[in-house]
Amino acid sequence: MSSEHTEVQVRPGVEGDLEALTSLYNHYVRETPITFDTVAFTPEERRPWLLSHPEDGPHRLMVATEADSQGIQGTSQEILGYATSSAYRPKAAYSTSVEVTVYVAPHAGRRGVGTLLYEALFEALSGEDLHRAYAGIAQPNEASTRLHERFGFRHVGTYREVGRKFDRYWDVAWYEKELRPRKEP
């Protein structure tokens, strides 16, 4: 039995994560229909996205890291995934709605990383003036569907063949979750 112990920790994303987050996202850009981006990003091109998710407010970025507690040179961290809440639409009346998403590193799937990320994200959002969260899931994606349903999302509709990537059309199923806005005094 190995004495090495690894622990997954979730924290707000910071600028120092930009390169690793860009690399993780680019995997999904290049290899999957999970995102409808079709061209990989440089970290500089991705910087505005990162900066649009501060440590407070309704638009958050939570990062899961694996810290090796037996590290010789101190603690090393590897990013296992991230979750965000972003503006649902730019018009002011949509301000109490967010679109959420989660990306897990390919080698970190089936370890509960997505669950830990969403737990932290929804906890962070619990004090915000938010009413609904929405998630669009390119189909098929059973793992993402199960994750969202576990967090109380319900299917509200499917856009048929809404995106084209890898020379085929993909459906996107939309899910909705009620959020509890903060109580007014």
Side-chain angles (χ1 to χ4, degrees):
M1 180 182 279
S2 171
S3 63
E4 183 178 316
H5 173 71
T6 59
E7 181 180 346
V8 176
Q9 299 173 331
V10 178
R11 59 167 173 73
V14 295
E15 195 154 351
D17 298 327
L18 182 59
E19 190 169 324
L21 292 171
T22 302
S23 178
L24 191 160
Y25 186 70
N26 281 341
H27 162 78
Y28 286 96
V29 171
R30 287 188 304 268
E31 306 293 330
T32 77
I34 300 301
T35 176
F36 284 178
D37 279 317
T38 59
V39 177
F41 290 85
T42 67
E44 273 311 306
E45 290 169 329
R46 203 73 172 137
R47 184 177 306 283
W49 164 84
L50 184 130
L51 296 176
S52 72
H53 295 90
E55 285 193 39
D56 59 1
H59 305 142
R60 305 282 182 106
L61 166 62
M62 303 305 291
V63 173
T65 62
E66 184 165 60
D68 179 355
S69 63
Q70 299 296 318
I72 296 171
Q73 299 293 328
T75 302
S76 62
Q77 293 185 325
E78 176 188 3
I79 291 183
L80 301 177
Y82 68 90
T84 61
S85 60
S86 302
Y88 175 68
R89 297 284 184 262
K91 295 180 179 166
Y94 290 119
S95 67
T96 59
S97 296
V98 290
E99 186 171 345
V100 297
T101 191
V102 62
Y103 287 90
V104 175
H107 69 279
R110 305 184 72 89
R111 290 179 49 191
V113 173
T115 297
L116 291 171
L117 283 163
Y118 263 0
E119 285 173 349
L121 179 65
F122 290 120
E123 175 62 28
L125 296 177
S126 67
E128 299 297 331
D129 183 23
L130 293 173
H131 185 62
R132 291 275 192 273
Y134 295 91
I137 304 171
Q139 297 297 301
N141 190 334
E142 291 181 34
S144 186
T145 297
R146 281 193 310 272
L147 174 68
H148 286 86
E149 289 175 347
R150 208 168 36 250
F151 276 88
F153 282 81
R154 65 182 182 84
H155 181 252
V156 293
T158 299
Y159 293 168
R160 301 284 178 206
E161 297 184 350
V162 68
R164 186 172 66 187
K165 188 172 181 181
F166 304 134
D167 295 323
R168 72 170 270 202
Y169 288 96
W170 301 92
D171 295 347
V172 174
W174 283 93
Y175 286 78
E176 172 185 71
K177 173 184 174 65
E178 181 178 352
L179 300 175
R180 292 184 175 84
R182 67 175 175 242
K183 301 291 183 201
E184 295 300 323

